[in-house]
Amino acid sequence: MKNSINSAKIGNKELINLIIYGLDENNVDKSESTLSIIHDIILEYKVLCEYLRKNYVVGDLDTFKMASCLLVSINRHGFTEDSFVNASIAVDAAYKMCEKPYINVRNATIKLEEVDFKEVFKDDMEFYQTTKNMLINSLIYEKGSSLTYFLNLEQFYNVALERKYQYVKTAICKKHKKRKH
């Protein structure tokens, strides 16, 4: 999935791809009603983004705020009767969006480092799944707003970035030790 423009803003095609990614990750079949639900999700996503931008942000939204709007919108509309599966679809789509983040500082858009969450946490899938389940449970039981989720998404990205650097540092140290022997 590639952003077509150099900012956090993404188009409908990218949103559809993120939603389909969430569906695929949760083995949810795409039926005839899927397109209608995706349409409703995108409409609500845009309303939530505009509300957040208008009331809480100076300038444009960053990726984490937009991902939180997508998270809430997918969870509200859902694709199945199972609230856990719907929340899981929402989290997977939001996580995917956050792997290629942008932030906005004053009037400048800054691309942050990309992180593949599943790759970074491959040796600690328990942490990944626990964190994901906590967010899923929050979506199911607390029905939070976009405003309450973006910090969670941003923090998860920061932990993933830290892990990514730790892997690099470990690999360099191992290589260095081999050279000494």
Side-chain angles (χ1 to χ4, degrees), residues 13 16 19 25 29 33 48 52 54-55 62 97 101 110 112 116 121 127 132 134 137-138 144 153 155 176:
K13 184 177 179 181
I16 291 167
I19 295 165
E25 284 294 298
D29 289 331
S33 63
L48 292 171
L52 199 60
K54 205 180 227 182
N55 294 296
D62 64 24
M97 184 184 239
I110 301 167
L112 300 177
D116 181 332
F121 293 111
F127 173 81
K132 180 180 172 182
M134 287 174 20
N137 286 326
S138 176
L153 296 170
Q155 186 59 38
H176 184 69

Side-chain angles (χ1 to χ4, degrees), residues 113-127:
E113 187 170 341
E114 292 183 16
V115 178
D116 181 332
F117 292 149
K118 285 189 176 178
E119 178 65 25
V120 168
F121 293 111
K122 70 181 177 198
D123 295 332
D124 193 1
M125 285 308 284
E126 185 178 348
F127 173 81

Side-chain angles (χ1 to χ4, degrees), residues 9-178:
K9 294 178 185 172
I10 61 174
N12 290 349
K13 184 177 179 181
E14 290 89 356
L15 288 169
I16 291 167
N17 287 339
L18 289 167
I19 295 165
I20 289 173
Y21 172 83
L23 291 168
D24 289 344
E25 284 294 298
N26 292 277
N27 300 313
V28 174
D29 289 331
K30 293 169 262 333
S31 65
E32 287 183 29
S33 63
T34 301
L35 192 55
S36 174
I37 295 168
I38 289 174
H39 179 265
D40 293 343
I41 288 168
I42 291 173
L43 287 177
E44 182 170 0
Y45 161 81
K46 290 178 178 182
V47 169
L48 292 171
C49 283
E50 183 58 22
Y51 176 80
L52 199 60
R53 187 197 62 73
K54 205 180 227 182
N55 294 296
Y56 297 101
V57 176
V58 175
D60 289 328
L61 299 181
D62 64 24
T63 300
F64 306 107
K65 290 177 184 76
M66 292 171 45
S68 70
C69 292
L70 183 62
L71 180 84
V72 169
S73 183
I74 291 172
N75 189 58
R76 283 186 186 163
H77 289 276
F79 291 92
T80 72
E81 296 296 318
D82 186 330
S83 59
F84 184 89
V85 172
N86 290 328
S88 185
I89 294 166
V91 172
D92 284 329
Y95 276 4
K96 191 60 152 173
M97 184 184 239
C98 292
E99 289 182 345
K100 298 179 181 185
Y102 288 83
I103 59 168
N104 298 300
V105 180
R106 298 187 189 180
N107 289 330
T109 299
I110 301 167
K111 185 179 189 319
L112 300 177
E113 187 170 341
E114 292 183 16
V115 178
D116 181 332
F117 292 149
K118 285 189 176 178
E119 178 65 25
V120 168
F121 293 111
K122 70 181 177 198
D123 295 332
D124 193 1
M125 285 308 284
E126 185 178 348
F127 173 81
Y128 176 88
Q129 200 58 51
T130 299
T131 303
K132 180 180 172 182
N133 286 341
M134 287 174 20
L135 187 52
I136 288 169
N137 286 326
S138 176
L139 283 167
I140 293 170
Y141 300 112
E142 295 175 24
K143 302 292 184 201
S145 72
S146 307
L147 193 57
T148 61
Y149 291 117
F150 80 89
L151 289 173
N152 181 296
L153 296 170
E154 187 172 4
Q155 186 59 38
F156 187 69
Y157 166 80
N158 288 329
V159 170
L161 196 59
E162 193 64 37
R163 293 270 175 106
K164 182 178 177 182
Y165 285 125
Q166 189 61 42
Y167 287 136
V168 170
K169 197 160 84 174
T170 302
I172 290 170
C173 288
K174 284 180 182 178
K175 195 174 188 179
H176 184 69
K177 283 181 183 180
K178 284 183 181 180

